[in-house]
């Protein structure tokens, strides 16, 4: 039996998913789909932890567990772009801060209130 091509796997971008994410994302898969991933893993990376994750889930399904909703995969597990998820808009953004004029001869520093000027 040959391993499936990575484009035919039930988990999109499987090769780039961290193992904790794989454990969560296989929850909605059937035993056949998990077996397909297991064959692919054994033929490619053969990571013991990944193989254990698949075996444990297959054992759960064999003992009556049902596929559950799990986490829906919209893309690879990379942090979202800050522009996609930011609740800040130009209307709610803080006013810009300008750093003090360090070393600018046109704007000499001001003495602290508790010290006399030198």
């Amino acid at each position: 039996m040959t391993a499936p091509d990575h484009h035919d796997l039930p988990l999109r971008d499987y090769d780039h998913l961290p193992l904790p994410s794989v454990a969560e994302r296989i929850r909605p898969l059937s035993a056949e789909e998990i077996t397909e991933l297991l064959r692919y893993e054994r033929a490619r990376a053969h990571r013991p932890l990944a193989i254990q994750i698949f075996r444990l889930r297959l054992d759960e399904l064999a003992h009556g567990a049902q596929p559950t909703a799990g986490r829906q995969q919209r893309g690879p597990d990379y942090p979202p772009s800050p522009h996609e998820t930011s609740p800040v808009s130009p209307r709610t953004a803080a006013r810009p801060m300008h750093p003090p004029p360090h070393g600018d001869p046109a704007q000499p520093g001001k003495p602290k209130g508790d010290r006399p000027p030198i």
Side-chain angles (χ1 to χ4, degrees), residues 69-118:
R71 181 171 149 204
Q72 297 301 317
Q73 182 178 0
R74 292 184 308 222
D77 280 1
Y78 302 115
S81 166
H83 302 291
E84 294 174 13
T85 60
S86 178
V88 179
S89 69
R91 186 176 58 71
T92 60
R95 292 180 26 197
M97 291 180 49
H98 300 287
H102 296 287
D104 186 352
Q107 297 181 353
K110 298 177 185 161
K112 298 211 181 243
D114 61 344
R115 291 188 232 154
I118 298 177

Side-chain angles (χ1 to χ4, degrees), residues 14 19 22-23 26 34-59:
Y14 169 74
L19 288 179
V22 170
I26 64 171
I34 294 172
T35 302
E36 189 176 345
L37 286 168
L38 181 58
R39 281 196 335 260
Y40 180 83
E41 180 64 34
R42 283 182 174 153
R44 301 299 192 284
H46 207 336
R47 296 171 291 179
L49 185 56
I51 292 170
Q52 181 182 11
I53 289 169
F54 294 136
R55 284 183 172 168
L56 289 172
R57 184 60 182 156
L58 285 171
D59 190 48

